[in-house]
Amino acid sequence: MAAKLSKDQRALIEKELRRGTSKSRIATLLNVDYDEGLEMIEKVKASIRPDIGDKITFTFRGMDMTGIIVKLLTNSAVVEIYWDKSDKTLHDIIEERTIVNFKDIIDFVTLPPQDEDEGLILDSQPIVSDIDEA
C-alpha cells in the first residue's frame, strides 16, 4: 500500500500527468518502484481529472476563460465557452466550443445536476429562489 503523499509528490505527479509523462517515468521521478508509483498516480489522478459537465477555468494567451466540459478526450476536453465569465477580447479568436488541454486548466468545479428547463447554473451551490407565499 502506498504511503501518504507529500505536497511535493502530489505536485510532481499532477504536473507530470498534465504533461502526458508515462507512468514509469513518474515512478522513476518519485524514486519508488513501478507498482507503488501506480498507486500514487491513481490517487492523484482521481483528484485532478475533470468530468463532463464540470465548470472549468483555464488560460488562453494569458487570459482567464471559463466554460463547461461537454466531451472528454485523452489529455484534453471540448469546452463550451461562457463569454459572460470570460475575457471578451478573445471572442474573435475562439469559437463557442474549443479544445482545452488539461495542463491549461487552472481550476474545475463539479456543478449541481442541471435541469434543462431552468437554464444553466454556473455556481457550485444550488440556487435558492425567493418564493412569494400568498
Side-chain angles (χ1 to χ4, degrees):
M1 177 86 49
K4 187 174 179 180
L5 290 170
S6 71
K7 286 183 181 182
D8 290 340
Q9 289 173 321
R10 184 175 289 281
L12 173 77
I13 294 169
E14 184 174 336
K15 180 180 105 179
E16 295 302 325
L17 284 173
R18 289 182 190 274
R19 292 178 59 201
T21 304
S22 72
K23 293 174 182 172
S24 60
R25 175 71 179 138
I26 294 172
T28 301
L29 291 171
L30 293 168
N31 200 24
V32 297
D33 67 58
Y34 183 72
D35 291 332
E36 186 177 354
L38 281 180
E39 288 180 34
M40 296 167 81
I41 290 166
E42 290 306 315
K43 203 182 259 189
V44 172
K45 195 184 239 185
S47 70
I48 66 166
R49 185 167 174 86
D51 203 359
I52 293 173
D54 286 356
K55 172 184 157 185
I56 66 166
T57 303
F58 63 98
T59 57
F60 180 78
R61 295 191 180 177
M63 305 290 200
D64 287 343
M65 304 290 291
T66 299
I68 301 291
I69 295 176
V70 294
K71 183 176 182 180
L72 288 174
L73 305 172
T74 304
N75 288 317
S76 58
V78 177
V79 176
E80 186 174 323
I81 305 295
Y82 287 98
W83 291 107
D84 57 337
K85 298 199 178 269
S86 299
D87 191 318
K88 292 180 180 40
T89 60
L90 298 175
H91 198 280
D92 292 337
I93 300 172
I94 300 178
E95 299 287 329
E96 296 301 314
R97 286 188 176 187
T98 191
I99 304 286
V100 176
N101 288 321
F102 287 161
K103 66 181 181 181
D104 296 326
I105 296 175
I106 298 168
D107 189 27
F108 65 91
V109 175
T110 301
L111 296 175
Q114 304 292 309
D115 185 359
E116 291 181 23
D117 296 335
E118 294 183 19
L120 185 66
I121 302 169
L122 289 176
D123 295 320
S124 58
Q125 299 297 319
I127 296 175
V128 178
S129 61
D130 295 331
I131 300 173
D132 294 328
E133 294 183 350

